Amino acid sequence: MTFSPIRTLVFFMIGLPIGFILSALGFVATGQEIAAPALVPWAAGIAAVIGIGAGLWKPAG
C-alpha cells in the first residue's frame, strides 16, 4: 500500500469546505447554535478523514 502525501493535502483542502457544510447541517439538524469555534473541530475531522482516505486510495491502473 502506498501513501500519497500530496493527494492527502489536496483532498484535505477540498474537504475543509465540505466539512464545514456537513457540520453546519448537523448542527441545524440537532438544533444547536451554529458558531465557528464549535464547527472547526468537526470540519477538520471530516476533512482529515477525506484526506487520509484519498491518500491511501490507490487508483486503478
Side-chain angles (χ1 to χ4, degrees):
M1 178 182 300
T2 60
F3 183 75
S4 173
I6 298 298
R7 189 181 308 138
T8 301
L9 179 63
V10 167
F11 275 86
F12 178 81
M13 297 305 288
I14 292 170
L16 272 177
I18 295 169
F20 273 106
I21 291 167
L22 292 177
S23 298
L25 287 173
F27 274 55
V28 168
T30 59
Q32 296 179 9
E33 181 182 342
I34 298 175
L39 289 177
V40 171
W42 290 99
I46 292 169
V49 168
I50 291 171
I52 292 170
L56 293 173
W57 176 63
K58 183 177 180 183

